[in-house]
Each structure stands twice: as C-alpha cells, then as structure tokens.
Amino acid sequence: MRIGLLGTGNVARALAHGWSAAGHDVLLGSRRPEDRTDLGLPVTGLSETAAHAEVLVNATPGAISVELLHSIGAPALAGTLLIDVGVGLSDDFTELSHPNSSLGEQIQEAFPLTPVVKTLCTMDSTVMTAPDGLDGPSTVFLSGDDAEAKRTTGRLLTDLGWPPSSQLDIGGITTARGQEHFALLFMGIAGGLQAHTFNINVVTRPSP
C-alpha cells in the first residue's frame, strides 16, 4: 500500500522503516521537507504526502495535529483512512492537551469523511515495530467507528509484527480516550523502570 506518514520524528521514522521492510511504499510528510533530507527516507510536503497516500498516519505532536490536518484540507483527506498514533502532552509530559476528550475524537469530528483509527499510542516507537523483542506477548489496541478501516489497520499492524491475537478492538473512536490517557501511566512506568521499551498485556482468565 501507499502509506503517507505525517511527521518526521522517531515514531514516523520507525513506522516508515517497519512498513517499508514489509514491502509498502512509504512517504514522510513535513512542514519543512527541505530540512529533512538526511533521514534515509523519502520526504515531501504534507499536502503532497496526503495526495500520495492510500493510508495516512498522523505521527505529529498531538497538540497541533488538528491544525496541521486543516492545513492539508478536508477535501484532500476525504475517504482516506487516517491512522492516528499521536498523543497531546505538555512539554514536561505531566498534562494532556485533551483531558476531557482525545485527539482521535477531535480529528474524527473535524474530518467526518475521513475514517480515523486510533492505535499504537500506548507504547514507545521501539516497541511499535518490534513487539517480538519484548519478553512475551503484549497488546495493541484499536479504536474507531469504521469496521473496514479497522480491518485494514489490523493488517498493517500484522505487517509490523503484531499477530491478530495481540490486537484488541476496544470499540468506537470515543475509546481512544483510554488509549491516550494511558500516556500519563506510561510516563510513570517509564520512570519506575528507568526505561521506555515495554508494553502492557491484557490477561484474562483461562477458558473453562
């Protein structure tokens, strides 16, 4: 698939490398592509990336994501699956920029013709593309209102190393709040472990 990743930070680059290794055509989008020619990945402007993509991935800072998407424009995004992995956090990582909602919901509300799926925001970029590097299986969550969009996202997660057994569909886009609000607990766990390379696993009772 043609995958456009909005952003050029650690998350966007990790996902781009992961999907490129799986055979997908990836393109990074930047507000200043001329300053990002040293990444070893193709980079162009945000609008050009959106025009190229069958699937868009929002990996921009969550506090400014909606503004950046508006700069591309709703007509250019209409009908394109948008996978949102962003989280809005303050500079000191202690407060959410969407404390009573979620970035995923705000994107879906602002762009109703663009199916939004929230995923991969409960872990560090090092885990997103190498879940088998952890000491055991763990869980990746999906939130969204469009069933087909979530199926496509699930296939792309499988290409990153997440088997269907590790994927948990938790419901509509409003459930993105739980994923994003986990960021505060994530920072606490990272402080306790003195490391960011970890994930959570949903463990249930064994079947009778």
Side-chain angles (χ1 to χ4, degrees):
M1 299 188 76
R2 298 189 309 277
I3 303 175
L5 298 105
L6 304 176
T8 56
N10 291 338
V11 169
R13 297 198 306 272
L15 292 174
H17 281 298
W19 278 317
S20 178
H24 296 288
D25 176 4
V26 301
L27 182 63
L28 295 178
S30 171
R31 288 174 291 178
R32 295 178 295 276
E34 66 278 3
D35 297 334
R36 307 297 285 164
T37 59
D38 59 339
L39 302 181
L41 292 161
V43 183
T44 188
L46 298 175
S47 295
E48 292 80 3
T49 299
H52 167 84
E54 297 173 89
V55 175
L56 272 177
V57 180
N58 175 48
T60 63
I64 62 170
S65 293
V66 174
E67 175 187 346
L68 291 178
L69 290 168
H70 274 303
S71 74
I72 298 171
L77 300 176
T80 301
L81 164 59
L82 190 146
I83 299 173
D84 176 35
V85 301
V87 177
L89 281 170
S90 59
D91 291 341
D92 62 359
F93 303 109
T94 62
E95 296 184 7
L96 293 164
S97 58
H98 309 93
N100 299 310
S101 180
S102 67
L103 174 60
E105 289 174 271
Q106 294 199 1
I107 294 174
Q108 187 63 90
E109 181 179 3
F111 303 94
L113 299 181
T114 300
V116 177
V117 178
K118 189 82 187 187
T119 192
L120 288 171
C121 71
T122 54
M123 65 196 73
D124 185 70
S125 61
T126 56
V127 176
M128 293 177 183
T129 59
D132 56 353
L134 299 177
D135 186 19
S138 59
T139 304
V140 60
F141 304 98
L142 297 94
S143 302
D145 296 333
D146 187 293
E148 182 57 35
K150 283 196 279 192
R151 281 191 287 269
T152 300
T153 302
R155 291 193 292 270
L156 291 174
L157 290 173
T158 300
D159 289 343
L160 294 177
W162 296 95
S165 59
S166 291
Q167 301 176 27
L168 183 59
D169 182 345
I170 59 173
I173 195 62
T174 56
T175 66
R177 297 182 191 189
Q179 293 198 54
E180 294 184 28
H181 290 202
F182 178 75
L184 300 179
L185 180 56
F186 177 93
M187 296 308 301
I189 295 171
L193 293 176
Q194 294 296 297
H196 291 84
T197 304
F198 62 89
N199 196 26
I200 58 174
N201 190 31
V202 175
V203 180
T204 62
R205 289 184 175 184
S207 300

